[in-house]
Amino acid sequence: YQESVALIKSLGIKTVDHWRNQFENYKKEDGFLLPACFIRMEASNYRDIGGNSGRQMYDLLVTLMIGTDHYKGTDYEKILELKQKVFTAYHRFEPTGTNLIGRFLRNGEEMEIEYNNLLILGQSYLCQNCTDLDAERIGKEVIIDIPVTRTETTIVTEITN
C-alpha cells in the first residue's frame, strides 16, 4: 500500500488515501486537495497451495478512484491526462518487499462520474498474491502454479518477508 501511495503521489496527485466514498461527501471548504486518488483493495478467489503448509494464493484487485474538479462540462482533458499518467505508472507496477507474485495489470475501468463539481473515474488492476511463505523456503526457488488466470508456471526466485 505505501509503495502505491508514493507512486501515485509522484504523479502530482495531491491526496492519496484508502477509499471510503470520499468523493460522495466532498465539500471544498473541509474536503481534501484535488486531484485525488483513493485506493480500494479487495482480495478474492482464495485457493490452497503447498499441501499442508496452510499457504494460500489469492487475487488482489486494486481499484484506483481518481477525481479532479469539474465545472459545467469543462476540464475533461484534465481527468483524461490524469488517467493516462496513472495507467502509465501503475500498469505493470511490481511492489517490492511483499508476497505479491507478478505485476499489477489493468483489468478494467469505470466510466466517468460527475457530481459535486467533480469528475471521477476508476481504474482496476489485478495481481496474484500469496499468504506468508514457510520460513524454510525464503530465499529459495519456489514453483507455484496459477491455474485460474494463467496456464504457465510462475517461478519466484527471491522471496523476502
Side-chain angles (χ1 to χ4, degrees), residues 84-119:
Q84 190 59 36
K85 274 183 167 179
V86 171
F87 168 73
T88 300
Y90 212 80
H91 182 69
R92 305 189 62 75
F93 170 59
E94 189 170 9
T96 60
T98 69
N99 291 329
L100 291 175
I101 298 170
R103 299 175 175 173
F104 282 102
L105 302 175
R106 181 170 59 180
N107 119 311
E109 284 193 6
E110 297 178 30
M111 297 299 289
E112 293 88 10
I113 304 163
E114 294 183 55
Y115 58 88
N116 292 340
N117 291 324
L118 298 174
L119 187 58

Side-chain angles (χ1 to χ4, degrees), residues 9-117:
K9 281 187 175 183
S10 75
L11 303 174
I13 295 178
K14 295 178 183 175
T15 303
V16 182
D17 202 351
H18 285 286
W19 172 249
R20 294 183 307 276
N21 291 321
Q22 291 93 328
F23 292 125
E24 193 172 298
N25 300 311
Y26 177 76
K27 293 180 184 150
K28 201 165 195 162
E29 309 81 51
D30 58 358
F32 40 83
L33 297 175
L34 295 171
C37 180
F38 298 101
I39 303 170
R40 179 174 63 205
M41 295 184 174
E42 301 172 52
S44 66
N45 196 22
Y46 285 85
R47 52 216 175 266
D48 286 334
I49 58 172
N52 294 327
S53 69
R55 295 180 300 138
Q56 291 185 311
M57 172 86 58
Y58 59 94
D59 298 329
L60 179 63
L61 181 67
V62 174
T63 303
L64 306 176
M65 299 301 293
I66 306 161
T68 190
D69 42 0
H70 178 70
Y71 301 101
K72 298 180 184 171
T74 61
D75 299 333
Y76 252 123
E77 287 184 23
K78 191 188 299 186
I79 194 72
L80 295 177
E81 286 174 15
L82 274 175
K83 172 184 127 168
Q84 190 59 36
K85 274 183 167 179
V86 171
F87 168 73
T88 300
Y90 212 80
H91 182 69
R92 305 189 62 75
F93 170 59
E94 189 170 9
T96 60
T98 69
N99 291 329
L100 291 175
I101 298 170
R103 299 175 175 173
F104 282 102
L105 302 175
R106 181 170 59 180
N107 119 311
E109 284 193 6
E110 297 178 30
M111 297 299 289
E112 293 88 10
I113 304 163
E114 294 183 55
Y115 58 88
N116 292 340
N117 291 324

